[in-house]
Amino acid sequence: RVEAIALPEVEGVDARVFRRYEAFRRGEPLDLRLLNLSSERVMAEDLFIAAYYELRCSTAGLTILLKVTPAPPRLITVGVGVDTEGFVRGRVRWRHARIGRAAGSAESTLFASFREQSLVGLLRVYPSAGSRFHLIPRAELRREDELRYESRSGQFDVKPAISYDDQSARYTFRAGPSYEYSETPRGLGPPDDQYLAFESRSEIMSHLFEYYGREPRRGWQLALDSWSRGAGLHSDLTAHRLRLEASALWNLGNYDPPLGVLGWRGWIGSTLASNDERAFRELSPTRRFFLGGEADLRGAARKEIPSDGGGFLTAAYQGLELRAGKVLWKNVQPLAFIDAAMGGRRRAQLDGDLYWSPGVGVRWPSPIGALRATAAKGFVSRQSPRASHRAHWQFFVSLGREF
C-alpha cells in the first residue's frame, strides 16, 4: 500500500507542491501506473525537466521517494503539426513555471493555422503550496475563418478552479465571470457586440484515459460546459449554452499490447435563448453549433453543416470506431468507424434529419506523434427540405491528433 512518500527538497519550492499532482491516494494499494501518471503531470507543467518515483524495499517495509531534476523555470516551446483542415498548425508558448514557493505559473501562447489564430495569456495563482484550489486570470484574442462564417473575438475572465483525485479518476471544476467582445465580418451574427458572461467547466477523467493519452486504449472521460450571457451593449438578448461530452475506450480482450481498441465518443448541446429567431442574428456563430470535420462528423468538411450557414441551436453527435492494435507490420493500425449526428434550429429540439458517415482509415504512432488518415462518405436521411447536404467523400489526414 502507498503510505508515506519522501518528497524532494528544491530551493525556492515548498515540497507540498508535489501533492497537487498526485493521482493516487495514500493508504490504497500500490499501482505503478498511478505513480508514473503523477510524475508525468509534474513534467507536463514544466516544473522540472525530469520526475520519477523510486521504490525501495527493506525489512522496515516499502519506501517511496520522488526524484526530480531541476531546470530553469522559464521555458519557450515551439510545436508544429499538419492536417487537411487547418493545413500547417504552429504553436509558440512562453511559460514561467515556478512563481513563488507555491509554484504558481504564467504563460502566453500564440497559435496559428489556416482556419484559426489565437493569442492567450494566463496566470495560475495558488493561495498555498498544498492547495489544489487556484485562480486563473486569463485574456484571449481569437479569429476563426470557417467555411460558413468569420468571427473575431476577445475575452477576459477570472475563474476559480479546483481539482481532486481518487484512486480511479480526476475531477476538475472551474467557473467564473468574463467580459467578451465579438465581431462577425462574414456569416450570420452581430457586426459587433460586448457583454458580460459566466462560464464553467466540470470534468471527470479516468486515470487510465489520462495515462494512455499518447497511445489510447482504455478509460473514459465526461465533461459539461456551460455559458450564460446577459444583455449586451447592442442587444438585450439573454442566452445560455450547455454542452455535455463523453468518450470511452476499451482494450478488447485486455491484451498487452492490445489486439484491438473500441472507441466511442459523443456530445449533445443546446443554446437556450430568450428568442430563437433573434439568436441567429444577435449571437456570435461560435455560440451556435456546426457539424462536420475530424472532431465529429468525418463524412463532411469542417463545420460544413448546415449548408445555409446559420448553424444549429441544438445538436447531438455519436461516433464509434474499431481500431487494430499492435498486430501488423511496423505497428500500422487500420480502423473502421461510423459517425452520426442531428441538429435543430430551435432550443432543446432536434430536427428529424440524420447525418451519418461510415468510413475507414489508418493510424500510425510515429516518433513525432500519431499520424491518422481517414476516408468517409457523408449521407443524410432527409425529413426536411432544409437538409440540403450533398452526399460526398471526405478525406482527412492529421499528425498529432487522436480519436
Side-chain angles (χ1 to χ4, degrees):
R1 291 183 177 273
V2 178
E3 299 296 344
I5 295 180
L7 299 175
E9 294 185 3
V10 180
E11 183 179 356
V13 176
D14 191 312
R16 293 175 296 171
V17 163
F18 298 103
R19 298 200 60 172
R20 75 173 67 135
Y21 303 103
E22 292 178 356
F24 51 84
R25 304 290 295 176
R26 285 169 169 77
E28 297 292 337
L30 175 66
D31 188 332
L32 293 179
R33 294 173 301 184
L34 299 186
L35 293 182
N36 290 334
L37 176 58
S38 302
S39 61
E40 288 174 3
R41 288 178 179 178
V42 173
M43 291 186 290
E45 290 294 318
D46 299 321
L47 284 171
F48 299 94
I49 196 171
Y52 62 95
Y53 286 87
E54 183 178 288
L55 305 183
R56 295 180 182 176
C57 295
S58 67
T59 55
L62 176 66
T63 303
I64 303 177
L65 302 91
L66 175 60
K67 301 286 188 176
V68 297
T69 302
R74 297 174 184 84
L75 179 68
I76 296 177
T77 57
V78 179
V80 178
V82 294
D83 61 36
T84 50
E85 289 186 331
F87 303 106
V88 177
R89 308 190 316 271
R91 177 181 282 106
V92 178
R93 186 184 69 179
W94 172 89
R95 170 180 277 184
H96 190 311
R98 300 199 302 272
I99 300 177
R101 292 189 58 79
S105 64
E107 66 180 69
S108 180
T109 304
L110 175 65
F111 172 83
S113 71
F114 178 75
R115 291 291 183 191
E116 185 179 355
Q117 304 85 43
S118 65
L119 176 63
V120 179
L122 63 86
L123 299 172
R124 288 188 176 88
V125 182
Y126 293 87
S128 63
S131 174
R132 291 195 174 204
F133 173 83
H134 56 288
L135 292 177
I136 310 178
R138 179 178 177 274
E140 177 183 22
L141 296 174
R142 178 177 297 273
R143 175 180 178 268
E144 297 181 29
D145 187 8
E146 301 291 351
L147 186 64
R148 306 300 186 194
Y149 67 85
E150 179 184 355
S151 171
R152 302 169 189 163
S153 62
Q155 179 174 339
F156 175 76
D157 54 69
V158 179
K159 293 187 176 73
I162 194 168
S163 67
Y164 171 81
D165 282 88
D166 61 22
Q167 195 69 2
S168 61
R170 187 181 204 186
Y171 306 79
T172 59
F173 175 76
R174 61 178 182 268
S178 65
Y179 170 79
E180 301 181 11
Y181 170 81
S182 67
E183 295 180 354
T184 312
R186 176 173 57 84
L188 192 59
D192 62 88
D193 198 8
Q194 303 176 46
Y195 50 87
L196 295 176
F198 189 90
E199 290 183 300
S200 72
R201 180 176 176 85
S202 307
E203 183 176 14
I204 308 173
M205 181 183 295
S206 75
H207 287 149
L208 293 181
F209 191 91
E210 184 181 359
Y211 179 74
Y212 291 115
R214 296 179 182 177
E215 191 67 29
R217 65 178 72 176
R218 291 183 64 183
W220 51 269
Q221 174 258 357
L222 179 69
L224 174 65
D225 292 294
S226 72
W227 170 86
S228 299
R229 62 157 282 177
L233 186 64
H234 303 292
S235 171
D236 60 357
L237 184 74
T238 59
H240 313 278
R241 188 180 191 267
L242 298 172
R243 187 178 186 273
L244 177 67
E245 65 177 57
S247 54
L249 296 165
W250 294 271
N251 178 358
L252 301 180
N254 290 321
Y255 294 99
D256 189 16
L259 295 180
V261 177
L262 180 65
W264 172 86
R265 63 182 184 180
W267 58 263
I268 184 169
S270 186
T271 298
L272 311 172
S274 54
N275 184 294
D276 288 350
E277 293 184 3
R278 290 177 57 194
F280 287 96
R281 302 190 307 268
E282 300 176 26
L283 282 184
S284 168
T286 60
R287 299 305 179 182
R288 303 191 293 272
F289 298 92
F290 292 81
L291 298 170
E294 196 173 19
D296 42 57
L297 201 63
R298 285 168 280 186
R302 175 180 164 121
K303 300 188 179 181
E304 178 184 2
I305 301 171
S307 58
D308 62 13
F312 297 115
L313 292 185
T314 304
Y317 158 78
Q318 287 194 81
L320 192 66
E321 179 179 292
L322 179 62
R323 169 172 56 86
K326 192 174 182 180
V327 294
L328 298 181
W329 178 76
K330 295 293 185 180
N331 201 13
V332 174
Q333 302 169 1
L335 56 93
F337 60 87
I338 184 167
D339 296 323
M342 301 179 72
R345 291 172 174 79
R346 294 185 179 183
R347 53 182 172 175
Q349 182 175 324
L350 295 170
D351 299 337
D353 311 307
L354 175 64
Y355 304 90
W356 55 286
S357 305
V360 295
V362 65
R363 176 184 183 272
W364 178 55
S366 77
I368 58 173
L371 177 65
R372 289 176 62 97
T374 61
K377 190 167 186 179
F379 299 92
V380 55
S381 299
R382 296 185 180 90
Q383 293 189 10
S384 162
R386 299 183 69 178
S388 58
H389 178 65
R390 179 179 56 85
H392 64 87
W393 283 95
Q394 186 69 46
F395 302 92
F396 290 108
V397 178
S398 65
L399 176 64
R401 292 190 176 183
E402 292 289 5
F403 174 73

